Amino acid sequence: MDPSDQKHFTVVDYVIFAVLLGASMCIGLYYALSGGRQRTTQEFLMADRSMSCLPVSLSLIASFQSAVAIIGVPAEIYSHGTQYWFIGCAYALGLFIPAHVFIPVLYRLQLSSAYQYLELRFSKAVRTCGTVTFIFQTVVYMGICVYTPAFALNAVTGFELWGAVLATGLVCTLYTTLGGLKAVIWTDVFQTLVMFAGQLAVIVVGVYRTGGVSEVWTKVWEGNRISGLDLNPDPTERHTFWTLAVGGVFLMLSLYGVNQAQVQRYLSARTEKEAVRSCYMAFPSLQLALALSCVMGLVMFARYCGDDLTDKLGSSSRDAMVIYFVMDMLQGLPGLPGLFVACLFSAALSTISSAFNSLATVTMEDLIKPHFPAMSEARATLLSKVLAMSYGLLCLAMAYLTHLMGDSVLQVALKIFGMVGGPILGLFCLGMFFPWANSIGAVVGLGAGLATSFWIGIGSIATHSSGTRPLPSNCIPVLLTNSATAAIQSALRNTTLSHPSALKRFYSLSYMWYSAFNSFTVIIIGLIISFVTGPMKEEDVTPGTVYPLVGKLLCFLPEHLKKKLCCVTPLGQTLSSQQSQPPEQKEISGWGLQQDRGASPGEMESFLPDGHTRLVEHETTV
Ligand SMILES: O=C(O)CCCC[C@@H]1SC[C@@H]2NC(=O)N[C@@H]21
Ligand code: NA
């Protein structure tokens, strides 16, 4: 990028950006100094299970709406048209199933970490495998989220790259470490609003400067960027209605159903009903976030298609082009470039803080506490803060690794979710829907799922069959005009159109199918191994850890047949955690309530730090 074309910030922009970081810090400090002052893990990691549905729902959006979406989705729409928008069709089921299947099971078990479920249902080994897999996925994802905004800004504005990464990482680590989950959730609320405001500003100014709505629509229509309903059933087709609306459901379930960051938010709600309501309330906000980023891509297309930006942007990826577009639109409007940079970093901060906090929680609850049961509350809380800090530093290192990955951060992020989140989703489904599944089946199933997903993932990179479709000839996006890239495009067109071997087709499976494909692999392998090594019996399964899915699907069968199929266990009772737990119970419920095999589902046995046990009668509401 030659300096003459670099867009510069005015003082006002820097002030706005500093105000955003400052506001996040203040919210973090407020929660460090108010309430219980973050002195128990229940408060630091679970917000005292006192949150209401509005902040939880906005925090649910913020967790997986980072700069990757703010930059990656417009770049996707610019290059491939609005096909990606169909992922919105996956949001309905993608939130309905978590609200009515995963939340009831996980909430009634009163867990702190989603992976405690795996020990209750299977064994400690399965829990550890799930936790380690989640940690790997989140650390890689965090790296992408820290790197994306800094890289894009640096490419266009010369904004000091590693200075921005450091500023983001440190501010985020600080307020997360000081304020715990309460600070993370309330900064998420503030940052989500900044995110929406920033994107809206770019859209309004962009439409105005491109000649108004009708002008934008005409250019977009003629550039055939409005993709119709592509019902092509070919699973290697990168984006079709099926890969996005159906494959997308499994992606949503892996994130909003079983991902620790989201499960922790559900469990921080003061009642189960509040948690379900927050899931429902996330739907409109998710649709709004998707619409804003897609429209931004369309306005960008209306603005540049046909112009030649290659000389301006050089070899940097199309992701950087989004920032160029924003800076181009907002030039001369002091404060607005700063607002968009604040939007970008809000997106990044809200995701990274959720990642830090969930990593600290699972490391504490799943990997440390079980080995140090006598650890004092103060020491446990201090250790949680040290963990949040160390994950922060690890994240900066991962940011550098992202530097080495390909372009299109959106695709990289979605691939990670499919490759790692998919098998974890399969593991939870295996446990919740199939009472016969045993621990050996679960571990082998997870291993098979991860092995398959990395085999496809690496295979697709090796054979360059990332499924990029040839673009419509009438408007080769401006960044592809240079001959080298065009040559790759035509070479790619020839190889993929030649007779692809079965293996090549396997490698070119759309990454939007990874979540579905990998979760089914875990379930099928897990069931086979379970039946081979002796399936579990109904009475052996911890009550409250199985969702009678098969029973509900086969509701037409007579009761005695369903009993034979051992799939009619009633789910645990609806809990309102505040009423059901006596106050002294609170500080240890994060230790996971061990079910006494003999206790009836309504009774939960909990282990006190001093080794005594207490039967807690949970109120049962219909
Ligand atoms: O923005 C990111 O950090 C990740 C990319 C989007 C992740 C998925 S896409 C479907 C769902 N909707 C969102 O807003 N995020 C998740
Ligand atoms: Na975010």
Side-chain angles (χ1 to χ4, degrees), residues 25-48:
M25 275 305 293
C26 294
I27 295 173
L29 284 171
Y30 171 76
Y31 283 107
L33 305 172
S34 71
R37 300 162 68 88
Q38 309 301 327
R39 268 207 286 269
T40 65
T41 52
Q42 268 313 301
E43 181 172 17
F44 184 73
L45 300 176
M46 302 311 295
D48 273 334

Side-chain angles (χ1 to χ4, degrees), residues 64-66 68-69 84 91 141 252 255-256 286 410 414 417:
F64 290 110
Q65 181 74 21
S66 77
V68 171
Y84 179 80
Y91 289 178
Y141 175 50
M252 289 292 289
L255 295 177
Y256 294 83
L286 267 179
L410 177 66
L414 293 179
F417 290 147

Side-chain angles (χ1 to χ4, degrees), residues 198-220:
Q199 287 179 294
L200 211 53
V202 172
I203 289 169
V204 168
V205 171
V207 168
Y208 176 73
R209 289 197 165 178
T210 314
V213 175
S214 57
E215 181 65 20
V216 167
W217 176 257
T218 312
K219 285 192 176 174
V220 156

